Amino acid sequence: MNPFASIVENNNRLLKFSILLALLIKSMYLVFFCYIYTDSDQTMQWLAASEYALGTFNTLFFYGQDYNPMIEALFASPLVYIGFPVYFALPTITTIMGLTPWIFTVYILYKNNHLFSASILMLILAALPYEFHIVNAISRGWVHGLFVATVGLFLLFNTKANYTFINISKLIVAGLLGGAGTYICPNVVLYFIPFVVYWWILVGEKKIIIGTILGACYIAGVIVTSKLCSNFPYHSYIKHWNSPFSLSFEYFVHNLKSIYLLFNGLFPLYSYLGIIIFISIFIFTWHLFKKKNFLFFWPMLVLIVLVLITLFTRKSNNGQGNPFFPYIRFYLAIPILFYYFFLNQYNKWFQIHRKKAIYLLLLAIGIQLFLFPLHQIKYTKTDEFVRVVSIKKLCKACDSIDVIMKERRQDKALIFKKCDEIAFGCAALGYKYHFLYPEYERHKLNHEIFEKTDTSQLLHISYESGIYIFK
């Protein structure tokens, strides 16, 4: 028997191999894209991490917003403090946060002795399209809520239906963390609530009391987190206020017209195949109902209801068909839930056809690796909404600005058009200048300085045809 055949046949070895492969794939995307390129909005996290590392907590949220707390920047600040470049620290932390829900799901499968299903789940993760991995590595506040809620779920799935101090404490903290995660990023709803329903059915006893405690703590977590955030003293100039929750049939119709984009990247091999997972959820849930598998049916039905509700919301209309402002940022939890229950339901079938399943997933992974250079070309083209630039190019631009500013003996520059990467990125990299940004200002201090400054003699910065212009 050759070494790889022994891996395929041995569940313990296969699980270790699949986890290692998934981590290698994630690391590859991290090294060959996220450490080389950045998009303009990520530089706000750069600046926050740099300020936090110095002990300056000017803002809790993204600059220019009253929502989306920068937890990734907070977690990355110790790395920045000890000398790691901010463009290295942040995507590393974000990738770890994005992996946490998958690690938790593997833990649950492993705990229930479903080693083969856990292996297939990690191979599916490795086989998911490039877009999914990039979205989970971009420091834009799309995975931090899932990370917080996962800690809560870990406590929950290690809680027994006993009224001991330890179990009640775990239950309370799990609910609070689930609520906190939901406020931090509402995409947590599609993840936390279905898993809670699944756990609640598994408990088997004392459901009413336990459910009441957990539900009350979840609501309390949302309220307490919102109060803490709203009372945090921050000095950002608010450009984007948080959109109020609203439902409209008009939003639903708009989403139906571009439904293939909403789930782009959630199915192995090719991004546009993501629509398959949306259709499969309905078919799979109907099949569970016919088989009277209510342990899986109710969580999946809850997931369907929640997904349909999101299609009626205004926020779900706000996205693009690329990884830098994608619709799928709302649906990152769907693959975790669907594949978890799917693998549990059809565990015997996968065991019978284990070689075919493994080799097909490995083929999908191989195709993704082969297409990686094409992905890099496709997604590094200039986009005026969310510009993607190489970190090397940005650093060079900051160096050029530094030289000019020293020659002119100035400490202020004026930015034309949308150049977040200059306004925030250069400041995050240690260049102590005021980048005045009247067209899209997100910083209160610079906004106040601009109103008092004669800008006619300042260095004027713009971005035209892929080139930074300094005049």
Side-chain angles (χ1 to χ4, degrees), residues 229-258:
C229 289
S230 61
N231 292 325
F232 191 94
Y234 58 94
H235 73 200
S236 292
Y237 176 66
I238 304 301
K239 185 77 175 178
H240 299 293
W241 296 96
N242 199 3
S243 302
F245 180 76
S246 62
L247 300 174
S248 170
F249 189 73
E250 180 183 348
Y251 303 144
F252 180 72
V253 172
H254 179 275
N255 281 327
L256 288 182
K257 290 179 180 178
S258 56

Side-chain angles (χ1 to χ4, degrees), residues 49-293:
S50 299
E51 291 184 340
Y52 294 165
L54 296 173
T56 305
F57 295 87
N58 286 322
T59 179
L60 175 67
F61 302 108
F62 251 56
Y63 286 89
Q65 297 175 192
D66 69 334
Y67 59 96
N68 198 354
M70 293 190 280
I71 294 176
E72 292 146 289
L74 182 64
F75 278 48
S77 59
L79 295 178
V80 177
Y81 178 79
I82 62 177
F84 285 99
V86 67
Y87 48 79
F88 172 90
L90 267 164
T92 301
I93 292 298
T94 302
T95 298
I96 293 171
M97 285 186 173
L99 269 171
T100 305
W102 291 86
I103 294 170
F104 161 76
T105 311
V106 168
Y107 163 77
I108 297 299
L109 289 168
Y110 180 83
K111 187 179 178 183
N112 292 303
N113 203 32
H114 293 161
L115 274 66
F116 180 70
S117 294
S119 303
I120 294 296
L121 184 69
M122 294 308 287
L123 289 176
I124 289 174
L125 171 60
L128 286 176
Y130 172 85
E131 287 87 344
F132 183 83
H133 295 288
I134 296 301
V135 171
N136 279 270
I138 291 176
S139 303
R140 297 275 296 279
W142 299 332
V143 301
H144 54 354
L146 294 172
F147 168 78
V148 172
T150 297
V151 178
L153 286 175
F154 177 81
L155 292 173
L156 187 64
F157 275 78
N158 284 280
T159 302
K160 298 178 182 178
N162 298 322
Y163 297 131
T164 63
F165 175 77
I166 292 178
N167 284 322
I168 294 298
S169 298
K170 287 181 180 178
L171 195 66
I172 291 172
V173 175
L176 291 172
L177 288 174
T182 300
Y183 181 82
I184 289 168
C185 190
N187 65 4
V188 166
V189 171
L190 302 182
Y191 171 63
F192 188 78
I193 293 180
F195 261 129
V196 165
V197 171
Y198 172 60
W199 175 86
W200 189 68
I201 297 172
L202 278 174
V203 168
E205 55 182 278
K206 303 174 183 176
K207 284 184 167 63
I208 301 300
I209 297 175
I210 286 175
T212 301
I213 294 173
L214 186 61
C217 291
Y218 175 79
I219 295 171
V222 175
I223 295 172
V224 170
T225 308
S226 66
K227 295 296 182 183
L228 290 174
C229 289
S230 61
N231 292 325
F232 191 94
Y234 58 94
H235 73 200
S236 292
Y237 176 66
I238 304 301
K239 185 77 175 178
H240 299 293
W241 296 96
N242 199 3
S243 302
F245 180 76
S246 62
L247 300 174
S248 170
F249 189 73
E250 180 183 348
Y251 303 144
F252 180 72
V253 172
H254 179 275
N255 281 327
L256 288 182
K257 290 179 180 178
S258 56
I259 194 72
Y260 68 96
L261 286 177
L262 266 65
F263 306 96
N264 193 2
L266 302 184
F267 194 81
L269 188 62
Y270 184 59
S271 58
Y272 287 157
L273 294 177
I275 189 64
I276 292 177
I277 199 171
F278 179 68
I279 298 169
S280 298
I281 288 172
F282 291 89
I283 298 173
F284 178 55
T285 305
W286 174 248
H287 177 73
L288 292 172
F289 178 76
K290 288 176 65 178
K291 292 291 183 180
K292 297 184 178 180
N293 185 347

